Amino acid sequence: MTEVRTIEAGAPPERFARGWHCVGLVRDLADGKPHSVEAFGTKLVVWQGESGSLNVLDAYCRHMGGDLSQGTVQGENVACPFHSWRWGGDGKCQQIPYARRVPPRARTRGWPTLVRDGQLFVWNDPEGNPPPEDVTIPEIPGYADGEWTEWTWNNVLVEGSHCREIIDNMVDMAHFYYIHKGLPTYFKNVFEGHVCTQYYAGTSQEHAATGALIEIGQYEGQSTKSDATYWGPSYLVDKLWDTYGDMTIESVLITCHYPITSNSFMLQYGMVVKKIAGLDDETNAKIAKKMTRLIGEGFLEDVKIWRNKTRIDNPLLCEEDGPVYQLRRWYEQFYVDVADIQPEMVQRFEFEIDTTKAVDFWQQELVEQAAAKVGAEA
Amino acid sequence: MQPVDCARCGTRVQVSKNSAVQTSIQWEFDSSSCPLRAELALGDTCPALSDSIRDAVLGGQLEVASSDL
Ligand code: FES
Ligand SMILES: [Fe+2]
């Protein structure tokens, strides 16, 4: 009797990943008002004090549980809306206006923060350790000098899925064809330490449908090259080069998320485009908006899949699939104590897919579809 | 996976190939033992190691075969 494969769904981890998580753009958070961010199984308050620094604390006031994100900013501190206890960015209660003194134990949880290229990051560590020096978020070269457009930024709330689903995208070559209307011709992953990279090159399905030769580097019409790196568990920097004829648009796409519960997360994506010489800022911004919109449509396709799929701990793979198990082994390092990180979670691993068969098949399919369409119109 | 030693730096890695193009390379540590690493992008495979893998295939020490799926 042939055995039937059984899906092991497993259960999402209860803890939240250790690492820097982007919670949004500084320009949206630094307006002198407290903001609420539901993340890591709780609620956080984010505010900018009068000195300009951004602070993040647990939103629930340790006095009687008031929600600090509903309060007000008073100088450097955030004031609770319930009894006006004033909390500083270091987590200490600085003042209780109606009391003679502040109880010495009036301390709440402060979250380490980092600002990079206009984005605010929060450090999560279930063990409570500060971020190590060598675990940080890289800068975008030229961002500070205005070589790139302003950020476009969008949020998508994903419910009913653990954020591992979006991590899986890193190694999922074939879904770029079926979900994102791409045609990958080159696909490679490298994992090392807390970093995970995907190298991708491909062309558009429209171009492939013309029957043009689409060997690597030989697209005459349109091509995409992408180097995408996760810096830790949640922040993906994707350097993109989109070529149309003799014009190449260079952009950086950020895809990041923070967990809300173990079964929901906030997906965010934003983009800066390298300003094209000869075009004014407004036109450059328009290009960024348009590209972001197209990418956003792609994410909504992912979300549709996630909403309906099952969690699967034992995916059944073919030779043209990427290294899902090794990716998850890498991802696991963020869910265990630092002392329990196993060598295989952080050792360098490289995997290049042979796309020959896939590219042949997909191109043939696209050419046939195009011919059928012409036939139907005739 | 089968061991392949880099002809340039001697680092031993575990390699498998299921086609002429497909390659998996498992390092035993990080890649700091590779003298070319500093000049390479994160995702680049060391060219000396690539040559060693190619030679291992040509020399018959590394078999190109379907992986156990
Ligand atoms: S609950 Fe915050 S001041 Fe009382
Ligand atoms: Fe996707």
Side-chain angles (χ1 to χ4, degrees):
Chain A
M1 201 182 75
T2 27
E3 221 188 290
V4 170
R5 177 83 166 190
T6 310
I7 287 183
E8 288 162 20
E14 303 221 326
R15 72 197 273 174
F16 299 105
R18 174 183 49 254
W20 286 112
H21 291 74
C22 178
V23 292
L25 291 183
V26 171
R27 72 168 188 233
D28 298 329
L29 297 164
D31 57 359
K33 293 189 202 108
H35 293 263
S36 126
V37 176
E38 280 184 57
F40 310 113
T42 184
K43 194 189 283 186
L44 312 180
V45 58
V46 182
W47 81 97
Q48 185 181 41
E50 65 186 359
S51 70
S53 65
L54 279 156
N55 309 292
V56 181
L57 297 181
D58 272 5
Y60 295 122
C61 180
R62 297 308 196 249
H63 174 225
M64 295 280 284
D67 177 357
L68 299 176
S69 69
Q70 300 294 308
T72 53
V73 174
Q74 302 290 337
E76 277 302 86
N77 305 324
V78 63
C80 181
F82 203 178
H83 315 88
S84 206
W85 285 34
R86 312 290 167 86
W87 298 88
D90 59 357
K92 275 219 291 249
C93 180
Q94 302 291 340
Q95 197 200 357
I96 304 169
Y98 63 89
R100 268 170 295 159
R101 67 183 195 107
V102 175
R105 280 181 302 137
R107 210 174 225 303
T108 186
R109 179 168 183 194
W111 297 71
T113 59
L114 172 76
V115 170
R116 254 309 173 261
D117 296 337
Q119 305 153 96
L120 177 67
F121 295 82
V122 170
W123 173 257
N124 179 56
D125 183 357
E127 291 179 88
N129 292 319
E133 288 278 308
D134 59 334
V135 176
T136 189
I137 300 293
E139 285 175 17
I140 300 172
Y143 179 86
D145 307 323
E147 290 175 24
W148 302 80
T149 59
E150 297 285 314
W151 287 109
T152 63
W153 203 259
N154 294 279
N155 290 6
V156 182
L157 172 65
V158 181
E159 289 178 295
S161 301
H162 184 267
C163 43
R164 186 179 73 178
E165 298 293 348
I166 188 164
I167 301 293
D168 279 350
N169 266 352
M170 280 304 273
V171 295
D172 193 345
M173 193 269 291
H175 104 292
F176 285 96
Y177 177 80
Y178 293 102
I179 304 297
H180 298 301
K181 301 198 183 88
L183 197 152
T185 54
Y186 178 82
F187 200 94
K188 177 179 173 183
N189 292 109
V190 176
F191 314 133
E192 182 167 355
H194 71 291
V195 165
C196 156
T197 292
Q198 174 204 84
Y199 276 6
Y200 173 107
T203 187
S204 69
Q205 296 191 0
E206 291 91 323
H207 181 59
T210 64
L213 180 70
I214 51 168
E215 277 169 38
I216 297 173
Q218 295 202 31
Y219 334 101
E220 278 164 19
Q222 200 199 74
S223 71
T224 298
K225 187 168 129 33
S226 147
D227 294 357
T229 299
Y230 263 101
W231 298 92
S234 79
Y235 185 73
L236 178 65
V237 181
D238 185 359
K239 298 186 202 160
L240 286 160
W241 295 264
D242 285 294
T243 300
Y244 310 88
D246 52 12
M247 165 147 123
T248 295
I249 297 181
E250 200 181 335
S251 59
V252 177
L253 167 69
I254 301 300
T255 304
C256 59
H257 64 270
Y258 54 84
I260 301 170
T261 65
S262 60
N263 216 22
S264 59
F265 60 97
M266 185 65 81
L267 170 66
Q268 305 171 91
Y269 57 95
M271 177 176 249
V272 294
V273 174
K274 186 98 169 229
K275 290 180 189 166
I276 299 163
L279 296 184
D280 58 17
D281 278 6
E282 203 186 319
T283 313
N284 275 310
K286 255 192 209 143
I287 294 174
K289 272 215 186 88
K290 181 162 179 218
M291 289 175 67
T292 306
R293 198 175 57 236
L294 291 174
I295 285 157
E297 286 167 12
F299 280 126
L300 296 183
E301 296 301 312
D302 276 322
V303 172
K304 214 192 291 170
I305 295 282
W306 299 335
R307 261 193 203 130
N308 295 290
K309 80 184 285 291
T310 178
R311 182 185 166 89
I312 179 165
D313 274 358
N314 62 335
L316 177 60
L317 305 179
C318 67
E319 283 180 340
E320 276 68 20
D321 285 326
V324 181
Y325 287 92
Q326 288 88 347
L327 172 77
R328 291 181 176 182
R329 183 180 76 180
W330 169 83
Y331 189 52
E332 184 64 22
Q333 67 178 291
F334 305 112
Y335 290 88
V336 298
D337 286 355
V338 171
D340 296 329
I341 295 176
Q342 301 302 308
E344 64 267 21
M345 296 175 185
V346 290
Q347 284 162 343
R348 185 177 175 90
F349 176 75
E350 310 180 27
F351 189 102
E352 180 174 341
I353 298 183
D354 185 344
T355 62
T356 317
K357 158 75 206 230
V359 170
D360 283 354
F361 173 75
W362 288 333
Q363 184 166 33
Q364 196 185 330
E365 182 171 76
L366 292 165
V367 167
E368 280 166 13
Q369 281 168 4
K373 213 168 139 205
V374 171
E377 278 161 12
Chain B
M1 292 200 130
Q2 285 164 270
V4 173
D5 296 334
C6 176
R8 176 164 172 143
C9 71
T11 301
R12 170 161 293 192
V13 294
Q14 302 292 325
V15 182
S16 74
K17 278 179 81 60
N18 68 32
S19 81
V21 176
Q22 195 283 327
T23 311
S24 312
I25 307 173
Q26 176 67 64
W27 293 63
E28 211 175 306
F29 302 101
D30 62 17
S31 57
S32 56
S33 60
C34 169
L36 304 180
R37 196 69 249 158
E39 290 139 48
L40 298 170
L42 187 76
D44 288 348
T45 298
C46 167
L49 181 61
S50 292
D51 289 349
S52 303
I53 293 172
R54 185 203 53 210
D55 291 346
V57 172
L58 291 175
Q61 296 101 292
L62 178 63
E63 200 192 347
V64 178
S66 279
S67 35
D68 296 327
L69 291 170

